[in-house]
Structures are given as structure tokens and as C-alpha cells.
Amino acid sequence: MEKDGRFAEFYKTFLNEMNPKFQEIEGYREELLDKYRRSYYAFDKCNYKRQFKEYLKIKFRSKLLQTFGNISQNNSVAQYIADETCAKTDFSKVPPDGYYFDDSFEGSYNGINFQIAEFLYEDENRSDGTITTNSCIAMLFDYNKKITSTVEIVSDSVSLSLAYIIIFSTILFLFVIYSIIGKVVKDIFFLYIVPFVLFGSFRLISPLIGPNLLKKNNSVVNLEDPKFRSRFSVYSSDQVEARYHCTPAFMDRLYNLKTAFGARGLSCAFFNNSQAQPKVLIQIYSSKDLFELGDINKPIYDDSSIFAFYRELNSIHQIIDALKLDNKIGL
Amino acid sequence: MMVFAITFALVLIWFYSIYVSLIEKRNKALEAFSSIDVQLKKRYDLLPNIVSIAKGYMTYEKNLFEEITSLRTQFQQVGTNQVDINKKLALNKELSNKLTYLFATFESYPELKSDKIMQNTMVTFCEVEEHIAAARRFYNSAVNELNNAVQIFPSSIIANLINIKEFQFFKAESFEKVNINLKETFN
């Protein structure tokens, strides 16, 4: 994405807001940067980074959001999305297990209301001590088509990780049972060979049985696009309804969306909320902490982080445009 | 003897599982068939509304309205088994042809285009068209699964034994491949 005139206006707002407090902010950044450089543990470094970002968020973010369009910060949105999706979707759990709340917004674009919540998951690499941040963006959009039964689309990276958990825990259970039997029968076959074969076949069978294992009350929908089918699994109790929402054009757009965002995983669900209004939930798993302002390592007037924030906000509009959620006909 | 009994039992289980899978696939294809019928019925139920509103504005298209009404009556008289569904699909092709012509003539009637009830009816009609397309895709997907099982060894042998035949795919006729762009007509 290019830096356009709209971004220039966005950046100007930031500079106007920042100028009177420039010395104060830059002084605070340098103070934190000094602590950041002197700290030994990755966790402490991570905390100083976060502290600076939080500071900028409080100072500038709401003003920048106003400049961008009809979008505002609202911390109750995350709970709202969680409540709306709870018991409505099988795979798109909000928030995903282990993730904690970070940011949330609400707004509208082209007549489509949306709610967005970001959840984070930090993982420490034990060998080099670095901390990687994974994020999950849950986006709830209005939807113009009627929905009679829930349809869920899960990228295979998401469905496989769920399948791994189920299969792994099953194998672990079997291992315990075999160990108990092995102690009784003193048989090397029971004690070692069978668990070994089960573990060996774990990776082999997961992609084959994963989608069927997760289907619960829904059945697997085999859509005709082989490219889409290689990346996503679709579940619904109504085969016709699933195809009504997942038109060939929609499949193509969702596939491109995953590629464009470089998402590690993506899930999408069509369902009626508690007020029986049709909604689309899209969850994108990324390895970046999104919707952040500023970087402790760069001067605050550096426009790269502001541009990243602008680009991320713009991507919400792009999703509505790309999936043509504002169109009633021919999605 | 024991080995023979176990082998025989395993063969029986294998035979039965293929038999069950074939029956399931055939039933799924039949279910998909009936879902097309349900959607077609919805489409035909909307026709009287479209015709009655359009009649008020389009005074020179009397023959066209009569033909559409006649096709609808014929549709209602046909049953729902597999042979009848083919008849229904044939009628549907003919009707699509007439509707393409009807919607094209809407261009010449600006008052009709701005009629609120007509606009709403057309939106519903579009949704039904999309459901028909979805039902056709479901049918083709179910038929593909069934035909693969009927053609590929070893299930082909069992399919022959229990007389399960291949189903025909639903193919769009050339005139049906031309999109009826109702959205543009009513914008």
C-alpha cells in the first residue's frame, strides 16, 4: 500500500497533536529506551516496549481514529464479540485459548457496522530467550444475506491444531492405559511398540481425519474449488446454505485475503446473533501485534509506525470491500 | 479354522461398509436432487407476484405473461421423482429463457423499475436464484462422490451387484450461462 493523500492528512493530525508535547514524549521515550537497553531479560524488554506503546495509545489513538473515519475505541467490544459468538460457533472461539485481550474498536463503513477485538499470545523461546507475539484479530461484521443455519470455514492450520490437541490427548490416554496393561502383562509389545506406532502415525493421520474429527453436529461441506479445499475446511448442517454463502467468488476472495494478510490461520463463520441478525465473524491469526502506535527504538516523528497503524485500519475497510459484505446480491 | 472364520468375518465387514457407503452416497445425491426441487418451487411461487405487478405497467407483453403462467401451471403438475425432476429442469430452462427476455424489457418501463414492491420481489427472486445455484452445486458434488464410488474398483463390483447406477451431472444450458443482472436493471 502506498502513502496517499489520506495518509498525509492522518500523519498531519498526529504531528499537530504531538507538537505541543514533543519534548515530554521524546524524553519519556529516551528514559524507557535507556531502561530497555540496560535490561537483561527479554520479558523486561518486552514490558518497556509495551509501556511506551500504551503511553502513545492513551495520548493519540482516539484522535487518530476520528481522523480515519467512523471508528472508535471501545473496550467492551471484546466481551460483546465473545458473548455473541459463544454457543453459536464451534471452531471460532473468541478469545482463543491462551490469548489475552489487547485492543478493541467499533465503527461502520459503507453501511456495514463492525466490531473488532485483538487478542495476544506471547511465547518465549527457551533456547534464545526471545519473546514472540502472536495475535488473533476477531472481526464481527453485519451481513446482508439471510442465514438459516451456521456455516463455518476454518483454515487447515487452525483445524489441524485443534485436531492435534484431540488426537494427542487421545494417544496420551491410550499410552497410560497401555502402560498399566503393560505392567500387568509384562509384554514389551504393549509397553513400547504400540504407543510408538500410534505416535508415528499421528502426523500422517491428522490431515485425513482432522476435518471429520472436528465436525461435531455439522457435516463437512466439500466445495468444488480444489485450491480453496486445500487450505480450508467448511462445516455446516445445511449443505445448500453453505454453498449459498460460499459462492465461487467468495471462496476466491477469502483465499486471497489469507494470502494478502500473510495470515497463519483464518476462520470465518456465518451465524445469527442473539437478536437474530445475520453476522459474519472473521478471525485472522498473525505473528504481529497489530494496531500499535510508535516504536521505542525510533524517534516519535518517524512515520513508519504511524503508517503501519493507518494500513492496519485501512485493511478493515479492505476486508469489507474485498468480501463485498455491503452487497446484498451476488456475494 | 479360526483363521478362516476371522478372514471371512473381516471380508463381510468390509463388504458391508462399502454397501453402507454406497447407499449413503446415493441417498445424499437424492437429497441434493430434492433440494433443487424445493428451490425451484420457491422460484415458481414468486412468479405470480412478478407477473401481476409487471402486467400493470407492461400492456404490450400479454403473450409473454401467458407463456410464463402456462409454464408455472405445467411445473405444478409434475411430480418429484427423478424422471419428473428432469422434466422440471427442462421447464425451468424454458422459463429462464422467457424471464431473461422479460427482465430485459423492464428497461423500457422506468415506472416499473421504481416500483417498491417490484424491487423487493426482485431482491427475493435473486436470493432464490442464488439458492438454486447453490442447490445445483450441492447436487453435482453429491453426484461426483457417488459416480466415483460406482466407477472405481472395488466398490464398482458391489454397486453392480446391488444395482446402483451413476447419476447425471446438472449442466447449465448455454443461455443459462448468461447472467441475468437484476441488480443493474433495478439500480
Side-chain angles (χ1 to χ4, degrees):
Chain A
M1 187 188 167
E2 295 287 313
K3 289 175 185 171
D4 52 10
R6 199 163 160 234
F7 171 67
E9 193 193 329
F10 190 76
Y11 186 54
K12 202 174 141 193
T13 310
F14 172 72
L15 291 178
N16 286 344
E17 283 290 304
M18 182 194 68
N19 269 342
K21 306 159 200 158
F22 179 78
Q23 294 296 337
E24 178 200 331
I25 300 164
E26 195 57 17
Y28 183 66
R29 186 185 73 86
E30 278 169 10
E31 183 193 324
L32 282 178
L33 184 63
D34 189 46
K35 286 180 185 170
Y36 174 83
R37 283 178 181 151
R38 278 191 284 119
S39 58
Y40 177 75
Y41 296 106
F43 187 73
D44 287 340
K45 282 179 187 281
C46 206
N47 259 346
Y48 290 127
K49 264 185 170 180
R50 199 183 296 145
Q51 214 173 315
F52 182 62
K53 283 175 181 174
E54 286 296 323
Y55 175 77
L56 289 183
K57 262 185 210 176
I58 295 162
K59 294 266 177 197
F60 306 115
R61 202 162 66 176
S62 60
K63 189 76 187 170
L64 281 173
L65 289 172
Q66 276 172 26
T67 316
F68 184 79
N70 189 4
I71 181 166
S72 60
Q73 222 164 296
N74 183 347
N75 285 348
S76 61
V77 159
Q79 192 55 48
Y80 170 77
I81 299 177
D83 292 344
E84 288 291 285
T85 51
C86 177
K88 295 277 180 182
T89 58
D90 282 338
F91 311 111
S92 310
K93 193 168 179 253
V94 182
D97 289 331
Y99 283 68
Y100 63 88
F101 167 72
D102 187 44
D103 290 311
S104 59
F105 312 96
E106 64 180 350
S108 71
Y109 172 69
N110 282 355
I112 298 289
N113 295 318
F114 58 81
Q115 289 84 27
I116 290 165
E118 186 192 20
F119 302 94
L120 297 180
Y121 171 72
E122 279 165 355
D123 195 17
E124 188 178 355
N125 187 334
R126 292 187 184 226
S127 59
D128 61 4
T130 53
I131 292 175
T132 48
T133 306
N134 299 303
S135 66
C136 169
I137 316 288
M139 296 177 274
L140 193 66
F141 297 103
D142 283 355
Y143 187 50
N144 272 322
K145 285 184 168 185
K146 278 179 199 158
I147 294 173
T148 49
S149 64
T150 302
V151 179
E152 287 194 74
I153 304 166
V154 190
S155 74
D156 283 344
S157 50
V158 178
S159 72
L160 269 184
S161 57
L162 288 168
Y164 282 155
I165 293 167
I166 296 170
I167 296 170
F168 187 77
S169 47
T170 310
I171 290 175
L172 205 66
F173 173 73
L174 287 174
F175 185 80
V176 172
I177 299 290
Y178 274 120
S179 300
I180 296 164
I181 295 169
K183 274 185 182 160
V184 177
V185 296
K186 307 274 184 210
D187 188 336
I188 194 139
F189 176 76
F190 273 112
L191 203 55
Y192 298 108
I193 307 293
V194 172
F196 180 76
V197 170
L198 281 172
F199 272 107
S201 55
F202 172 55
R203 276 199 155 271
L204 198 72
I205 59 172
S206 300
L208 303 174
I209 65 167
N212 284 308
L213 200 67
L214 298 166
K215 65 185 183 182
K216 294 186 182 174
N217 297 324
N218 296 328
S219 54
V220 177
V221 180
N222 288 319
L223 296 174
E224 54 276 69
D225 185 345
K227 189 177 76 172
F228 184 83
R229 226 164 43 184
S230 68
R231 291 268 184 98
F232 296 95
S233 301
V234 183
Y235 305 89
S236 177
S237 56
D238 186 334
Q239 296 275 334
V240 175
E241 174 95 5
R243 286 169 176 86
Y244 171 60
H245 300 301
C246 302
T247 61
F250 181 82
M251 283 190 264
D252 205 35
R253 287 174 199 140
L254 201 69
Y255 183 90
N256 291 337
L257 194 71
K258 185 172 184 284
T259 315
F261 274 77
R264 288 191 299 109
L266 189 149
S267 69
C268 174
F270 300 89
F271 62 97
N272 286 320
N273 71 356
S274 47
Q275 281 89 42
Q277 291 161 334
K279 294 277 176 186
V280 186
L281 173 78
I282 296 174
Q283 274 180 295
I284 295 179
Y285 292 83
S286 161
S287 46
K288 282 193 291 183
D289 183 2
L290 301 171
F291 304 110
E292 296 300 326
L293 276 173
D295 184 341
I296 196 168
N297 293 302
K298 289 178 185 167
I300 49 166
Y301 50 77
D302 184 290
D303 70 352
S304 58
S305 71
I306 307 295
F307 182 61
F309 180 63
Y310 173 80
R311 203 178 47 209
E312 283 151 16
L313 288 177
N314 214 36
S315 64
I316 301 164
H317 290 181
Q318 282 171 348
I319 289 172
I320 296 172
D321 287 336
L323 299 180
K324 296 196 186 301
L325 296 175
D326 50 332
N327 276 14
K328 192 170 175 65
I329 303 161
L331 179 78
Chain B
M1 188 61 193
M2 184 64 120
V3 175
F4 176 76
I6 291 170
T7 314
F8 183 73
L10 285 174
V11 169
L12 262 183
I13 292 167
W14 170 77
F15 182 90
Y16 181 72
S17 65
I18 293 180
Y19 168 78
V20 168
S21 153
L22 277 166
I23 299 289
E24 276 177 356
K25 286 185 170 99
R26 187 186 61 183
N27 288 347
K28 196 176 172 189
L30 289 171
E31 182 200 343
F33 227 107
S34 65
S35 67
I36 296 181
D37 192 41
V38 170
Q39 300 306 330
L40 286 178
K41 195 175 174 308
K42 274 192 203 168
R43 186 197 214 199
Y44 280 80
D45 287 346
L46 277 172
L47 284 178
N49 292 350
I50 295 172
V51 169
S52 67
I53 301 166
K55 261 182 181 172
Y57 296 94
M58 302 165 80
T59 43
Y60 302 107
E61 312 289 349
K62 201 180 161 198
N63 285 345
L64 183 62
F65 292 134
E66 277 172 7
E67 281 166 8
I68 291 172
T69 312
S70 148
L71 283 171
R72 183 176 181 269
T73 316
Q74 285 177 53
F75 178 88
Q76 284 171 328
Q77 285 162 358
V78 183
T80 52
N81 63 41
Q82 201 179 329
V83 180
D84 288 335
I85 288 276
N86 284 330
K87 275 186 202 166
K88 279 189 176 178
L89 291 175
L91 283 172
N92 195 49
K93 281 175 199 167
E94 212 178 320
L95 181 81
S96 293
N97 213 4
K98 303 277 178 223
L99 287 178
T100 310
Y101 178 73
L102 177 71
F103 296 144
T105 54
F106 280 179
E107 277 299 313
S108 322
Y109 299 90
E111 300 93 344
L112 176 63
K113 276 173 69 179
S114 54
D115 188 297
K116 279 276 169 230
I117 303 171
M118 189 60 160
Q119 281 178 351
N120 289 339
T121 313
M122 294 317 289
V123 167
T124 315
F125 192 81
C126 278
E127 274 175 19
V128 173
E129 286 291 320
E130 284 179 33
H131 270 113
I132 293 173
R136 284 172 179 177
R137 285 167 58 211
F138 173 37
Y139 173 71
N140 279 349
S141 161
V143 166
N144 187 41
E145 275 179 34
L146 175 72
N147 288 359
N148 281 344
V150 169
Q151 287 168 8
I152 296 170
F153 178 83
S155 52
S156 57
I157 298 173
I158 296 160
N160 253 330
L161 284 174
I162 56 175
N163 200 28
I164 291 183
K165 302 264 183 255
E166 290 171 38
F167 277 31
Q168 292 293 313
F169 283 103
F170 186 91
K171 286 177 188 156
E173 292 296 309
S174 55
F175 67 82
E176 283 185 294
K177 287 176 186 166
V178 180
N179 287 336
I180 305 170
N181 200 337
L182 294 171
K183 199 187 168 200
E184 271 180 22
T185 306
F186 279 84
N187 271 342

